[in-house]
Amino acid sequence: MIIFSILLVACQAQHRPAEPPAVIGKFNSQRDLLLAQFDSKTDVDDIHSIAAVASILRHPEFAKINYHAVAGAYGMQEGEYVPSPALFKLAFANHWSDAHANQKQALEEVFSLAMSTLQQGGDIWIAEAGQSDFSALLIKALLSHDPNIATRQRVHIVQHSDWNQNNTSVEALNYVKAHSDYHKIADGNALNNGTAGYKSDDASAWEVALTHKDQGALWQTAQQIADKYNGQDGRYNNESIALGGFDFSDAAEMTWIFDIENAQDVNAFFAKFLP
């Protein structure tokens, strides 16, 4: 009976899903906070990127990531915003703030989460799918509350786009570069440059995305919103999305933070995160 129990426990252990590691790439899932910030103005690539980031966070490897998303984290660019509250709710449930609707409230919500993380010994990782203006406000709030926080070592900003940098106010961009661990990585719109490239005219992966048993509704919503607003009312016309393809280039920061190596293009992304 004892031998049988030992064998049963051993068998159960073999079939139990492996626990995700505490340290994933550069991120410590036991104490760090991920902030996924989206400008959604005026390019609809953020809409696809919201779905892509949510797909990563739903994967078992990233099940214990502490995260919060921010909508409307835009800078000084002209043009219309792309509203997508239904997509944010579907992607992140209650783990998001709406800086477009109420920047003050969003900043207070994110400040509370960030300060709690820092006080408990964790770091902040900001994946900027947009400009740095909101990041600058957050860091200023943290240092105003406690000037002793070593934000240059503990607040990590990851940015991939020259366009996003150019549409951040000069003051905000200079501030985050001076007061954070700022990383400018290669552009996520292109392949073979050292980071993942998530822009493609090829529409073939939509069949996987739209029919996936767990994430089909997420990608259906993203497709509908992106197609509705792409190029409308003076918004930027994303040619890849207009052709029926994909642009979730702002998810490249996620692959850099987590050191994801086997999802370097659109098709490889869906093979890994929507199996």
Side-chain angles (χ1 to χ4, degrees), residues 75-107:
M76 60 183 189
Q77 70 265 44
E78 300 291 333
E80 294 296 318
Y81 180 69
V82 182
S84 55
L87 178 62
F88 271 92
K89 291 175 184 177
L90 190 59
F92 306 117
N94 295 322
H95 300 283
W96 70 285
S97 297
D98 193 342
H100 175 72
N102 191 329
Q103 186 186 77
K104 182 176 182 292
Q105 179 179 331
L107 184 60

Side-chain angles (χ1 to χ4, degrees), residues 46 51 54 65 75 78 125 130 187 192 204-205 232 236 253:
D46 277 20
I65 295 295
E78 300 291 333
W125 290 86
D187 198 311
N192 304 315
S204 61
Q232 298 302 307
Y236 175 76
E253 290 96 341

Side-chain angles (χ1 to χ4, degrees), residues 54-186:
S55 293
I56 293 172
L57 294 172
R58 293 179 182 188
H59 191 275
E61 289 181 27
F62 307 95
K64 293 190 175 182
I65 295 295
N66 183 25
Y67 72 88
H68 194 77
V70 181
Y74 43 72
M76 60 183 189
Q77 70 265 44
E78 300 291 333
E80 294 296 318
Y81 180 69
V82 182
S84 55
L87 178 62
F88 271 92
K89 291 175 184 177
L90 190 59
F92 306 117
N94 295 322
H95 300 283
W96 70 285
S97 297
D98 193 342
H100 175 72
N102 191 329
Q103 186 186 77
K104 182 176 182 292
Q105 179 179 331
L107 184 60
E108 290 173 351
E109 292 169 353
V110 176
F111 167 82
S112 178
L113 293 169
M115 182 58 67
S116 176
T117 297
L118 292 166
Q119 289 174 339
Q120 295 177 46
D123 285 5
I124 311 300
W125 290 86
I126 303 177
E128 287 188 335
Q131 297 71 47
S132 296
D133 298 74
F134 189 86
S135 301
L137 292 174
L138 174 61
I139 296 173
K140 287 179 181 179
L142 293 170
L143 290 175
S144 177
H145 180 82
D146 183 355
N148 294 316
I149 297 174
T151 55
R152 291 199 64 179
Q153 288 75 45
R154 301 185 61 196
V155 178
H156 315 276
I157 294 179
V158 186
Q159 172 61 259
H160 85 106
S161 169
D162 291 339
W163 192 90
N164 285 341
Q165 287 185 321
N166 293 336
N167 284 277
T168 299
S169 70
V170 174
E171 177 189 0
L173 185 59
N174 288 339
Y175 187 87
V176 297
K177 286 184 175 181
H179 294 91
S180 75
D181 176 34
Y182 185 91
H183 298 271
K184 173 62 166 64
I185 65 173

